[in-house]
Amino acid sequence: MGGHLEANEDLFACGRREAMEEIGVPIHYEDSYTETVYISANKTITPIAIDEKIKPVGLYEMIHPPGSPKAGRIYHLVIFQARVLSPLERFRLKLDEVSGIITLTKEQVKRGIKRKATLRELIEEGAKIFGPGEWMDKLEWKLYPIGTAEALAYIWNAADR
């Protein structure tokens, strides 16, 4: 998922709005994190103070890849702990932005940094896929975390040290 700041919108409000728009179901944001971490592009994790009622788990600094229209420019992901308020089967995905959702266990996310599992392996380990179904012919694709999953892997692995 991704989005852009609207007029008079801060990064946190943008993250919440974009998640709701792209997933298409109501979301409840958990207020269980007392500390937010900043993960720099070089993967340094630093606790930061955030003055928000519902604190994000983390802010993840990413750099647009070479060859992309914004190559070299920094952008940020805002990561909240949340749960959806409708069954996943009722998601109304914006298919031009999100082609499906894969739910992974915390352990699958944490191990993703070090391994490249196939979609079949992840499903056999308990992952679930929600979306239009075109993924069936892609079971041998190897997946690795990017974006939010990558940030969570770094956060969760650092917390276990």
Side-chain angles (χ1 to χ4, degrees):
M1 291 181 277
H4 304 287
L5 291 170
E6 304 264 333
N8 299 316
E9 184 177 54
D10 67 29
L11 193 59
F12 308 112
C14 176
R16 292 188 298 268
R17 177 186 52 76
E18 285 289 337
M20 173 64 181
E21 285 178 4
E22 293 177 10
I23 295 173
V25 296
I27 299 168
H28 172 76
Y29 293 92
E30 305 287 338
D31 189 19
S32 58
Y33 276 82
T34 57
E35 181 178 80
T36 300
V37 297
Y38 187 88
I39 305 169
S40 68
N42 69 4
K43 311 306 184 239
T44 302
I45 300 173
T46 309
I48 58 172
I50 299 288
D51 186 24
E52 288 285 312
K53 181 180 179 219
I54 298 174
K55 294 188 180 1
V57 176
L59 295 176
Y60 189 40
E61 180 180 273
M62 297 185 72
I63 300 174
H64 288 278
S68 68
K70 297 180 181 179
R73 291 179 54 190
I74 292 174
Y75 64 102
H76 293 90
L77 299 181
V78 182
I79 304 157
F80 287 96
Q81 180 172 330
R83 60 185 166 86
V84 295
L85 299 177
S86 297
L88 288 174
E89 292 82 6
R90 293 189 188 160
F91 276 28
R92 296 176 310 276
L93 300 174
K94 282 190 164 181
L95 296 177
D96 59 330
E97 296 187 40
V98 180
S99 57
I101 294 175
I102 302 173
T103 63
L104 303 172
T105 66
K106 185 175 185 177
E107 288 306 313
Q108 286 174 314
V109 172
K110 287 170 58 177
R111 288 191 326 248
I113 293 292
K114 294 189 168 112
R115 74 173 190 158
K116 309 250 185 298
T118 65
L119 189 52
R120 180 184 311 279
E121 290 168 329
L122 293 171
I123 291 169
E124 288 170 355
E125 295 172 359
K128 296 197 178 0
I129 300 176
F130 300 90
E134 290 103 24
W135 52 268
M136 287 301 290
D137 63 340
K138 299 171 177 61
L139 291 176
E140 300 313 315
W141 278 14
K142 291 193 176 205
L143 302 178
Y144 55 94
I146 59 172
T148 302
E150 182 180 30
L152 283 173
Y154 285 114
I155 292 167
W156 289 339
N157 283 317
D160 288 347
R161 289 185 200 146

